[in-house]
Amino acid sequence: MPDKNFKPYALDMSPVIFGTSGLGNLFVALNDDVKQEIVKECIAHTQGKLIFDSAGKYGAGLALESLGKCLKALNVDPDDVIISNKLGWVRTELKTPEPTFEPGVWRDLKYDAEQHISYEGIIECFEQGNELLNGYIPQMVSVHDPDEYLAKATSASEDEKLYNDILDAYKALETLKRDGKAKAIGVGAKDWRSIARVYEDVDLDWVMIANSMTIKSHPKPLLDFMKRLEDDGVQIINSAVFHSGYLIGGDYFDYKLIDANAPQHKTLTKWRDDFFNLCAKFNIKPAEACVQFALMVPGVKSIALSTTNPKRVKDNIAMAEVTVPKAFWEEMIINELIDKNCLEYTNILS
């Protein structure tokens, strides 16, 4: 059970931290020069502490490897950068035409990845990640995708076994923190309910909520939980707020290809069309609206943004400072594009 006297480690977080899935060839394969230019732009334009969010799962370790290479090539002092490594996936040999995890979304990978969630597995992930990072050591560590791990359960007893694996994984993280090898322990997941479950048993310094708290999806139970985290002093990073780019014009929603003509996607397609029309009416970029909403919910200290285009880095950072008029939010509510229940916990109409 969590320690009642535990006080979360206060990370010095910038409003925007940099996701690295693009460095792992998510949706598109980038050459090394482009990747280095992306990292260079992040360094040049960041507001406050330079923070990168990565994971062994991203490109089967390619994102970590590319980030380490870029930082080294750009002569970045390890003390000048904070790296978050979400642990739980280990690079393995590629034995199939494409990787076996998240098929269809990663490009030109030379390795596969397997989920290793246990005490020993997390230590293995941490050590492999450090090797891939080429001398840069992550200060922030977490268990990646506990929701996906738990989703494998076919019975209550199996669920309990898998959850105990996760708790063992956190014992490994606590060991790393106690030994001074990491500063802050967190969790990252797409299904926020798995985060809430872990929070009942583990002392967390920070939480990353992905694909869950967005302008498109903001359930009240999640808002309630985020308010609790805020009251407890746990910092929240909001990520994947574009739902894999779909809310800003992409073809994928939460890593799944969307067919506008498919009956099962009609409601989602209409929501985006109405959202785009309203953004155009107020001369607001959809990305700006997404980012501003994501920053206004309880406890959010930073938003993680990733790009495969170096020219977008500066604009991504600037979006954290954009002012969205009150009238836009009012019409979003009137048109039922956002739930009025969110008003209890946001200041969008103030």
Side-chain angles (χ1 to χ4, degrees):
M1 295 294 290
D3 181 355
K4 293 182 179 179
N5 297 317
F6 174 76
K7 294 192 180 301
Y9 182 85
L11 290 156
D12 182 14
M13 288 194 182
S14 307
V16 174
I17 70 174
F18 305 107
T20 60
S21 56
L23 301 184
N25 291 358
L26 181 66
F27 300 131
V28 60
L30 302 178
N31 65 46
D32 289 345
D33 290 341
V34 173
K35 292 179 182 182
Q36 184 167 313
E37 192 63 26
I38 289 171
V39 174
K40 183 178 179 180
E41 287 294 292
C42 293
I43 296 168
H45 300 293
T46 190
Q47 302 294 319
K49 194 68 177 181
L50 180 65
I51 304 177
F52 290 97
D53 172 66
S54 198
K57 185 181 185 182
Y58 295 164
L62 180 60
L64 292 168
E65 191 172 35
S66 297
L67 178 61
K69 285 181 179 179
C70 293
L71 292 173
K72 184 74 73 174
L74 294 167
N75 296 313
V76 176
D77 189 318
D79 292 335
D80 292 337
V81 59
I82 291 176
I83 297 173
S84 167
N85 188 5
K86 301 191 292 290
L87 306 170
W89 291 82
V90 175
R91 171 184 278 188
T92 60
E93 181 183 355
L94 182 63
K95 299 178 180 179
T96 51
E98 69 170 344
T100 56
F101 68 101
E102 294 179 340
V105 301
W106 302 98
R107 304 288 182 258
D108 295 353
L109 299 190
K110 298 179 181 179
Y111 296 92
D112 205 345
E114 293 178 352
Q115 197 168 38
H116 287 192
I117 293 184
S118 64
Y119 187 98
E120 296 80 8
I122 290 300
I123 298 298
E124 179 186 10
C125 293
F126 181 73
E127 292 176 348
Q128 185 185 80
N130 292 352
E131 291 178 7
L132 293 172
L133 281 167
N134 196 21
Y136 293 86
I137 307 298
Q139 298 90 333
M140 299 167 63
V141 290
S142 61
V143 176
H144 197 188
D145 296 334
D147 48 345
E148 292 184 12
Y149 192 67
L150 291 169
K152 297 188 294 186
T154 57
S155 66
S157 61
E158 186 177 7
D159 174 84
E160 190 64 24
K161 178 186 179 300
L162 294 175
Y163 185 63
N164 284 330
D165 290 343
I166 291 170
L167 295 183
D168 285 343
Y170 273 101
K171 290 177 183 177
L173 296 185
E174 289 164 356
T175 297
L176 293 173
K177 184 179 178 181
R178 185 186 64 239
D179 292 347
K181 296 179 179 180
K183 291 183 177 180
I185 295 172
V187 61
K190 301 179 184 70
D191 186 338
W192 69 270
R193 292 169 298 183
S194 67
I195 296 175
R197 183 177 179 181
V198 167
Y199 191 61
E200 295 301 324
D201 294 305
V202 179
D203 292 321
L204 297 175
D205 299 295
W206 59 275
V207 162
M208 172 174 278
I209 295 173
N211 294 86
S212 301
M213 177 49 62
T214 70
I215 199 170
K216 175 68 175 65
S217 174
H218 37 274
K220 189 176 185 302
L222 173 53
L223 286 164
D224 293 338
F225 175 59
M226 293 174 73
K227 183 62 170 65
R228 178 186 170 191
L229 293 174
E230 181 181 49
D231 293 342
D232 290 347
V234 178
Q235 294 171 302
I236 300 173
I237 301 169
N238 205 349
S239 69
V241 300
F242 305 139
H243 288 285
S244 303
Y246 186 78
L247 300 192
I248 55 175
D251 297 325
Y252 288 82
F253 183 89
D254 292 351
Y255 305 101
K256 296 178 181 178
L257 186 63
I258 299 300
D259 180 358
N261 297 315
Q264 68 269 30
H265 296 157
K266 288 293 185 182
T267 300
L268 178 60
T269 301
K270 183 179 186 307
W271 187 95
R272 186 172 74 171
D273 289 343
D274 292 344
F275 172 56
F276 281 4
N277 289 335
L278 198 56
C279 287
K281 176 180 177 180
F282 283 88
N283 195 28
I284 296 169
K285 295 178 181 177
E288 293 172 343
C290 291
V291 167
Q292 283 302 310
F293 185 91
L295 284 169
M296 285 190 282
V297 289
V300 174
K301 298 301 180 184
S302 296
I303 186 166
L305 296 177
S306 181
T307 184
T308 55
N309 185 347
K311 296 179 180 178
R312 290 183 185 156
V313 172
K314 184 178 180 179
D315 290 340
N316 281 353
I317 296 171
M319 285 193 292
E321 306 299 327
V322 169
T323 299
V324 176
K326 177 181 174 181
F328 172 80
W329 300 120
E330 290 175 335
E331 290 210 29
M332 287 286 287
I333 293 171
I334 291 170
N335 288 281
E336 299 182 343
L337 295 175
I338 56 176
D339 192 329
K340 63 182 180 181
N341 285 330
C342 71
L343 296 180
E344 180 182 352
Y345 287 139
T346 67
N347 59 355
I348 57 176
L349 296 187
S350 62

